[in-house]
Structures are given as C-alpha cells and as structure tokens.
C-alpha cells in the first residue's frame, strides 16, 4: 500500500473523513511553501494537493489564477515544485502529496523523466486536469510503473461512458467537482452532490473526494457526511492572499483547524 491507500485505510478504521487542502507551490513565495505544507499537516490535513503554477489554468477561478501568477513571478518551475516536495520529505515521510496541474509542464519535461523524478522526491499521486482519460493510457501506465497514483476528475456533466473508463484507470481517489464552474464558485447544491455520489459509487470503489465551493466549516461538515474526503483550495488561497508574512502560517492553520473540527463532528 502506498501513502494514499494507507491514509484512507486508517481513516476508515477511525470512521473519519479525509481533509485535503490545496495550495499553489511558490505562493506567495517559494521560501514559505514547505513551511505551509508542514502547517497544513499540523492543523489536520490528511493529504496535501500541491498546485503546479501555470499561466493559463482553465479549471481554476480568479483566486487560484492569482496564486499561480504570484508563483510564476518567482519563476517557480515543475522541477522547482519537485524540489519543494523533496525538502518536505526530509521531515515528513508519511503525509501523501498529490500534484495538481496542467499538461504543458509535464509534456515539456517528458512522461518518463517526470515519473522518475516525482517518485524519487516522494510524490504519491498526480492529477492533470487536461489529460482526458481516453488519451491517458500510456501516462497512467508510466505512473503505475513508478508507484504513482493517477487521479482523475469527474463532474456533474461527465457521461457514463467516461465514468466507467475512469473507474478502470484511476488510483488513489477520485476528485469529484461538485458544481458546473471553476474553483472558488459558491453555488454548491448538496442534494445534487448526494445524488451524483450514489451514481458514481455504482462504478467506483476508490474513495471519492469532493471539491469546488467548500468555503467554511458548515459546508465542509455537510460534504464530509456524503463523501470520503473534503477538498478545499480557493478558501485557503484567499487566507494566504490577505495575510502578511508574520501571520500567514497562523491564519492558514486556524482555518484548517476549523475545517478539521467541523469534518470530525460527523
């Protein structure tokens, strides 16, 4: 079992749900990313999603777009992101780290070289938004050879044929996009989420995490009552945006603690 599988197995035994925060590597500066990752773990994160900065992030709303822009001003590259994870692994060998991003940096580096480097530095999974499952066979096989989980997105508009295909290919967990829109949107309909998760579980045995639109403890608790994991991104990036250097880690930690307590009330 890799770190992702071990984490979910332990949570199931404890009758708890996973909290998966997202941050963008290099935001607000490369120097603080590893500190932020450790802070997330100390404040209740079970898995960390680390965004690879990209200039044209199609699935992300304005908040996460700005975080990528801030990171890119510091010239944060894919290799730089991998170096951050390697640094994190010097003192945390247990918390799963999942990269999230877009195809261009992976294509520029190359599948095989990326997989080797990612495995070496301690990456557990990766979600590339614009790799459609229909064209991801070689990609998934390459990751599998290096012990990295290929994680896929599903959404309210995903056709059944693609759901069945993803169910066969995906590893680690499924990321269900809870609404029609981009990250940071707030029109989350929990009834729709409940109905869709029941449908997805007819085909999918992996844990299902729900993200997009989760902004507070109330929503996090409600989603945790339906899903196996709660994914929170834009709300955390907002906290990073409005915090100065001295209070940033403290404020992000407080936010995550609030979410963690709310989730554990289920």
């Amino acid at each position: 079992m890799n770190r992702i599988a071990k984490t979910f197995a332990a949570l199931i035994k404890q009758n708890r749900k996973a909290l998966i925060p997202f941050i963008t590597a290099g935001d607000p500066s490369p120097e603080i990313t590893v500190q932020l990752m450790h802070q997330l773990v100390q404040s209740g994160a079970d898995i960390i999603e680390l965004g690879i900065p990209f200039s044209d992030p199609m699935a992300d709303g304005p908040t996460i777009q700005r975080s990528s822009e801030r990171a890119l001003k510091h010239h944060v590259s894919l290799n730089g992101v991998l170096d951050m994870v390697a640094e994190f692994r010097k003192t945390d060998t247990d918390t799963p780290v999942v990269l999230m991003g877009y195809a261009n940096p992976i294509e520029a580096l190359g599948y095989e070289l990326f997989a080797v480097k990612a495995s070496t530095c301690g990456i557990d999974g990766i979600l590339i938004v614009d790799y459609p499952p229909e064209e991801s066979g070689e990609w998934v096989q390459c990751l599998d050879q290096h012990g990295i989980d290929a994680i896929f997105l599903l959404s309210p508009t995903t056709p059944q044929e693609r759901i069945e295909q993803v169910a066969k290919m995906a590893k680690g967990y499924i990321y269900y996009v809870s609404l029609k829109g981009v990250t940071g949107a707030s029109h989350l309909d929990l009834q729709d989420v409940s109905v869709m998760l029941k449908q997805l579980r007819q085909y999918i045995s992996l844990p299902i995490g729900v993200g997009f639109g989760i902004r507070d403890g109330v929503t996090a608790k409600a989603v945790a009552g339906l899903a196996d994991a709660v994914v929170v991104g834009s709300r955390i990036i907002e906290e990073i945006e409005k915090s100065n250097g001295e209070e940033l880690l403290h404020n992000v930690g407080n936010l995550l603690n609030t979410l963690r307590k709310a989730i554990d009330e289920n």
Side-chain angles (χ1 to χ4, degrees), residues 23-266:
I23 59 171
T24 299
D27 175 42
S29 68
E31 295 76 24
I32 204 167
T33 296
V34 175
Q35 295 178 61
L36 257 175
M37 293 171 73
H38 287 302
Q39 182 65 62
L40 294 173
V41 176
Q42 292 168 19
S43 303
D46 297 296
I47 297 169
I48 294 173
E49 282 189 0
L50 189 61
I52 303 167
F54 186 57
S55 58
D56 189 23
M58 67 190 74
D60 294 310
T63 300
I64 293 180
Q65 286 182 30
R66 289 194 300 270
S67 72
S68 268
E69 290 167 4
R70 289 191 293 270
L72 289 172
K73 284 181 180 178
H74 294 284
H75 308 290
V76 175
S77 65
L78 176 54
N79 281 320
V81 175
L82 296 177
D83 288 342
M84 293 174 193
V85 177
E87 182 67 26
F88 175 75
R89 284 283 175 240
K90 289 179 181 179
T91 49
D92 188 323
T93 57
D94 296 323
T95 305
V97 176
V98 173
L99 294 187
M100 189 167 185
Y102 296 86
N104 293 52
I106 304 294
E107 294 289 328
L109 190 59
Y111 281 3
E112 185 65 32
L113 183 55
F114 167 79
V116 169
K117 288 189 169 191
S119 178
T120 300
C121 76
I123 296 295
D124 301 285
I126 180 161
L127 194 169
I128 298 299
V129 176
D130 47 350
Y131 275 166
E134 295 85 357
E135 300 175 18
S136 295
E138 290 184 15
W139 164 245
V140 171
Q141 186 177 20
C142 181
L143 293 178
D144 195 42
Q145 289 172 353
H146 294 278
I148 300 170
D149 287 342
I151 296 165
F152 286 91
L153 291 168
L154 293 175
S155 77
T157 58
T158 303
Q160 182 173 325
E161 183 179 346
R162 178 173 278 191
I163 292 171
E164 293 178 16
Q165 189 166 22
V166 166
K168 293 175 183 175
M169 299 177 72
K171 293 194 173 181
Y173 60 94
I174 297 290
Y175 187 144
Y176 177 66
V177 176
S178 61
L179 45 82
K180 301 172 187 175
V182 294
T183 57
S186 58
H187 45 282
L188 179 58
D189 188 322
L190 291 169
Q191 181 60 36
D192 285 351
V193 172
S194 177
V195 170
M196 276 301 298
L197 291 185
K198 288 176 183 175
Q199 293 179 18
L200 294 180
R201 287 194 172 106
Q202 295 175 30
Y203 307 96
I204 293 166
S205 57
L206 290 174
I208 301 175
V210 171
F212 285 43
I214 300 168
R215 304 189 55 79
D216 52 35
V218 173
T219 314
K221 178 181 178 180
V223 169
L226 303 172
D228 303 296
V230 179
V231 186
V232 184
S234 293
R235 179 65 188 86
I236 294 171
I237 302 298
E238 286 175 5
E239 202 65 34
I240 291 171
E241 250 183 347
K242 69 183 185 183
S243 302
N244 64 38
E246 294 180 1
E247 62 184 13
L248 191 153
L249 294 174
H250 174 77
N251 289 353
V252 170
N254 279 348
L255 171 61
L256 218 68
N257 272 318
T258 299
L259 298 171
R260 174 84 266 170
K261 288 175 183 176
I263 290 168
D264 287 344
E265 286 175 3
N266 281 289

